[in-house]
Amino acid sequence: MAMDAQAMTAFNLPLQDLIPLLLASGAWLTAGAAIGVLYFLALRWNVQIFATGRSVLLAVALQFARFAVMAGLLTIVALEFGALPLLAATGGILMARTMLLRWGAPP
């Protein structure tokens, strides 16, 4: 049992394997940020439609479209590429949310 503990807890990833992993994670983080920017800009547009009372049907349709696209994209990432790309893309989405909230906040 003690011999297995070292093999299971040590992070023995060689540098030549770590660099592509970090580059791929950065690419997924960037892709997630792009998805997040589009999602939250659509949310801003959706809120404006609701606030002005222009068309409730358009606002509800946009709401469902936003949810469906986000769920679909994250499902594809999870099923086709795995957990690490899903976590990186989700981190990018949260990063985009923070960026847009700070950008849209009053001074």
Side-chain angles (χ1 to χ4, degrees):
M1 188 71 155
M3 289 186 342
D4 290 340
Q6 178 64 26
M8 292 172 52
T9 58
F11 189 71
N12 295 328
L13 193 61
L15 188 60
Q16 65 267 18
D17 293 338
L18 184 62
I19 290 174
L21 184 66
L22 291 175
L23 290 175
S25 296
W28 283 110
L29 186 73
T30 304
I35 292 168
V37 165
L38 294 175
Y39 180 84
F40 290 110
L41 288 177
L43 175 62
R44 180 177 291 172
W45 184 38
N46 200 358
V47 168
Q48 289 173 352
I49 292 171
F50 271 124
T52 59
R54 288 195 319 225
S55 173
V56 175
L57 184 61
L58 175 64
V60 170
L62 182 60
Q63 184 101 1
F64 283 127
R66 279 187 313 109
F67 289 150
V69 169
M70 180 66 78
L73 288 174
L74 289 178
T75 300
I76 289 169
V77 169
L79 293 177
E80 294 295 323
F81 300 102
L84 184 61
L86 178 64
L87 288 172
T90 304
I93 291 167
L94 293 175
M95 188 174 67
R97 177 186 174 268
T98 302
M99 181 187 71
L100 288 174
L101 281 175
R102 289 179 188 244
W103 177 51

